[in-house]
Amino acid sequence: DQQVKQNSPSLSVQEGRISILNCDYTNSMFDYFLWYKKYPAEGPTFLISISSIKDKNEDGRFTVFLNKSAKHLSLHIVPSQPGDSAVYFCAARKFGNEKLTFGTGTRLTIIP
Amino acid sequence: DTGVSQNPRHKITKRGQNVTFRCDPISEHNRLYWYRQTLGQGPEFLTYFQNEAQLEKSRLLSDRFSAERPKGSFSTLEIQRTEQGDSAMYLCASSMALSGNTIYFGEGSWLTVV
């Protein structure tokens, strides 16, 4: 049972444009969400997170939006840069539980 | 470098052999986690420690797997009698025990069982 879903395995975006990565979840007990970026043969690198009490969190070029009623979150990267090319994972956690549940990832390719 | 450190980075072993991975967390972090990632999948939770206490174990952690954190600092993950299905990247992560704390991952240890 895939509780966190990233339905787009890949996405290509022109450099300078906006990249939008999507994530859906099924478990209403999730209350904290994170995005990680991963290069090949490396561990995931934390990007940005959002608590369920918020609907938006921004950090530089990265913004995460949370729609609790739709159980959907998205990561916006603007402007996209070649160094953003990587696999992006969405992860979720339940209150009081340390386990992160990850999606299967979206491979983002920024085209120069 | 003050990040999460994992050793060895790569390990090739024959089926049936035992392997051990080590993780050194970020120094002030009291929580330590092990995850496993296979190709095309996201990381899957295996277990976590708060200080030296192992507080949760996934059903993925079969009897052949054991994790320890004897002094609440570094941790080891041992896999006994390895099988080809154990081939994966084993990821260690650490965090502080605070509300909304962020989990930071190491670079991972690749295991190939031949």
Side-chain angles (χ1 to χ4, degrees):
Chain A
D1 177 30
Q2 192 72 26
Q3 297 185 63
V4 178
K5 300 176 184 178
Q6 295 178 257
N7 293 318
S8 298
S10 62
L11 176 68
S12 294
V13 175
Q14 288 280 349
E15 181 179 359
R17 305 294 290 269
I18 183 171
S19 296
I20 300 175
L21 297 103
N22 293 304
C23 177
D24 296 292
Y25 61 96
T26 57
N27 193 329
S28 58
M29 298 298 289
F30 288 142
D31 74 332
Y32 194 71
F33 304 89
L34 307 92
W35 283 94
Y36 286 86
K37 171 182 179 181
K38 188 178 184 299
Y39 294 117
E42 293 186 8
T45 301
F46 170 74
L47 277 177
I48 192 168
S49 61
I50 188 166
S51 164
S52 60
I53 62 173
K54 295 185 175 181
D55 54 17
K56 177 182 175 181
N57 189 26
E58 197 170 351
D59 184 1
R61 297 187 298 115
F62 302 93
T63 303
V64 56
F65 295 92
L66 175 62
N67 182 333
K68 289 187 291 293
S69 60
K71 294 189 177 68
H72 176 84
L73 64 157
S74 61
L75 174 68
H76 293 210
I77 306 172
V78 56
S80 299
Q81 299 174 352
D84 295 331
S85 294
V87 178
Y88 288 78
F89 290 97
C90 168
R93 188 173 68 204
K94 299 177 193 175
F95 176 78
N97 190 302
E98 285 304 306
K99 171 186 169 182
L100 286 179
T101 300
F102 282 83
T104 52
T106 296
R107 180 177 300 279
L108 175 65
T109 302
I110 305 302
I111 304 165
Chain B
D1 181 48
T2 57
V4 178
S5 176
Q6 293 188 243
N7 288 289
R9 292 292 313 279
H10 299 90
K11 179 73 175 178
I12 300 174
T13 190
K14 292 183 178 179
R15 189 174 52 186
Q17 297 293 305
N18 299 344
V19 296
T20 299
F21 298 110
R22 175 181 169 125
C23 172
D24 289 273
I26 294 171
S27 59
E28 65 268 25
H29 286 181
N30 57 358
R31 286 186 173 161
L32 185 146
Y33 312 79
W34 286 99
Y35 283 76
R36 179 174 71 185
Q37 185 176 16
T38 53
L39 284 175
Q41 299 297 316
E44 296 173 292
F45 173 81
L46 292 178
T47 189
Y48 98 93
F49 294 82
Q50 179 155 321
N51 300 313
E52 64 275 10
Q54 188 173 18
L55 297 184
E56 188 173 350
K57 289 171 63 172
S58 164
R59 291 171 298 171
L60 294 174
L61 215 64
S62 76
D63 291 345
R64 297 184 297 105
F65 288 70
S66 62
E68 294 183 345
R69 195 183 183 198
K71 297 182 180 179
S73 56
F74 73 92
S75 175
T76 58
L77 176 68
E78 181 183 18
I79 309 173
Q80 296 181 326
R81 305 181 304 281
T82 52
E83 302 172 355
Q84 286 187 323
D86 297 331
S87 296
M89 175 181 264
Y90 289 85
L91 292 160
C92 179
S94 69
S95 73
M96 280 295 289
L98 294 171
S99 175
N101 57 306
T102 297
I103 296 174
Y104 296 92
F105 283 84
E107 294 190 326
S109 293
W110 274 108
L111 173 64
T112 301
V113 181
V114 297

